[in-house]
Amino acid sequence: MSTPASCSLAGEGMYSKLIDDDGAYDDLNRSPDVGLSIYPVAPVRLPPRLSGPGPYRLATVCLATLCGVLLISIIAVTAHYKNKPQTGGEATSAMQKQTQDISALTNSVSKLQEEKKQLQKEKDELLAKLQTKTATTAPEAIKPTTKAPPVCPVDWHLFNSSCYFVSRTTRDWPESQSFCQSQGAHLAIIHTAEEQTFLWNLLPRGHWAAFWFGISDEHTEDQWKWVDGTPLVGGFWEVGEPNNHINEDCGYIVKTRVLERVAVRSWYDAPCSMYWPFICEKEMVAGASTAVPH
Ligand SMILES: [Ca+2]
Ligand SMILES: [Ca+2]
């Protein structure tokens, strides 16, 4: 900015000086004798100056015009560069924003990496705990799977933890119990409908297929007890039984050919001296096995 101004001022100063000088040259031109006598070579260089003030003014005008053009150019260039920083500012702002975004993403990645490390650490700790727990509990957990299931003797049938034997020969109730005891068993004690149904399914059908099991009221009438001395609770009596019809103190199961008969209504009482097949039950210890004659 200073250059055009100074140029302009300089141009104007030069212009004034040239005007003044023109006057001087006019004076000199008016004294040809002095000029010719003092500057022998002046006649060669002086003619332009001696031609009048027009050329100087023209030069001055041209110089001023050039200065003006230069000034306008400088203003234009300045304006151009004034706008450019704005564009550059926008670019800088965008770059700053991108830099901020990158920084935020970098922070997020770092945070996620930290979380990953933490989770990995927790995972390792949990795995270590699990391995420790597995090592300490494994033997106990394996025990049930490695424990051998009860194995019943030939012709004995497993249900839960007991083996059951259905005889093909007949005995009275006391002899039946004695036989079962000789096998390490007793006449069957039936506590659940599932157990009753299991035994029912073992029994063959017949006109009046009857089988002793381990219940009686031989000691006190109508106070039914199991062979282990425990009292009967509930039971699966046929309708109207037990009725002690002819001094009937021993219990038995009947399974006829009538398909409508059901397991849970199949108990009767009868005189203990009658000869019928019977059902033995043996509570099993794992791996125990005994051959049973019958
Ligand atoms: Ca009775
Ligand atoms: Ca009866």
Side-chain angles (χ1 to χ4, degrees):
M1 290 296 287
S2 62
T3 304
S6 61
C7 179
S8 178
L9 291 172
E12 291 173 0
M14 185 179 290
Y15 174 78
S16 303
K17 191 174 184 297
L18 285 172
I19 296 299
D20 295 337
D21 288 348
D22 283 350
Y25 279 116
D26 288 345
D27 293 340
L28 286 174
N29 289 335
R30 291 187 197 106
S31 306
D33 296 341
V34 176
L36 290 172
S37 61
I38 295 175
Y39 305 104
V41 293
V44 179
R45 299 175 59 184
L46 283 174
R49 295 183 179 178
L50 295 175
S51 62
Y56 293 102
R57 288 191 177 132
L58 181 62
T60 302
V61 169
C62 288
L63 185 59
T65 303
L66 284 173
C67 285
V69 170
L70 182 60
L71 180 62
I72 292 169
S73 299
I74 289 170
I75 290 169
V77 169
T78 303
H80 174 72
Y81 281 105
K82 270 186 180 177
N83 292 332
K84 206 163 185 180
Q86 288 179 357
T87 306
E90 292 174 359
T92 303
S93 177
M95 286 184 65
Q96 287 176 348
K97 189 174 185 306
Q98 289 179 352
T99 303
Q100 289 174 353
D101 292 343
I102 291 170
S103 179
L105 287 172
T106 304
N107 289 336
S108 297
V109 169
S110 299
K111 191 176 179 183
L112 288 172
Q113 286 177 340
E114 286 297 322
E115 290 179 357
K116 180 187 173 187
K117 284 181 183 175
Q118 186 63 28
L119 288 172
Q120 184 68 39
K121 186 180 175 184
E122 292 178 3
K123 178 188 171 189
D124 293 341
E125 291 175 355
L126 287 173
L127 281 175
K129 287 181 181 177
L130 179 63
Q131 287 176 352
T132 305
K133 192 169 184 179
T134 303
T136 55
T137 59
E140 295 177 3
I142 290 170
K143 270 184 183 176
T145 57
T146 56
K147 185 178 179 181
V151 177
C152 294
V154 176
D155 291 332
W156 290 66
H157 306 275
L158 179 67
F159 178 77
N160 287 340
S161 58
S162 289
C163 295
Y164 299 86
F165 171 74
V166 180
S167 76
R168 298 188 184 93
T169 59
T170 60
R171 299 174 189 267
D172 61 18
W173 192 92
E175 289 174 352
S176 298
Q177 171 66 353
S178 296
F179 176 84
C180 292
Q181 289 174 332
S182 72
Q183 303 304 311
H186 51 76
L187 282 173
I189 297 173
I190 306 166
H191 287 308
T192 66
E194 290 75 18
E195 187 179 11
Q196 169 66 26
T197 301
F198 171 78
L199 293 177
W200 173 268
N201 292 331
L202 287 180
L203 304 178
R205 291 187 180 277
H207 176 69
W208 190 261
F211 304 86
W212 293 123
F213 67 101
I215 198 168
S216 77
D217 67 344
E218 59 184 349
H219 298 295
T220 305
E221 178 59 30
D222 209 30
Q223 289 188 8
W224 295 88
K225 288 188 178 179
W226 295 107
V227 290
D228 63 357
T230 58
L232 169 66
V233 178
F236 304 103
W237 299 103
E238 177 57 283
V239 177
E241 299 288 334
N243 54 16
N244 199 38
H245 181 58
I246 48 174
N247 192 24
E248 300 167 332
D249 294 339
C250 290
Y252 68 104
I253 296 172
V254 172
K255 187 175 182 180
T256 71
R257 294 191 178 90
V258 179
L259 300 179
E260 287 76 14
R261 284 181 173 271
V262 294
V264 293
R265 289 203 305 274
S266 62
W267 292 4
Y268 291 76
D269 61 345
C272 299
S273 57
M274 298 186 74
Y275 271 67
W276 278 325
F278 50 92
I279 306 169
C280 296
E281 176 183 359
K282 182 191 304 195
E283 283 79 16
M284 295 300 294
V285 177
S289 177
T290 307
V292 179
H294 52 274

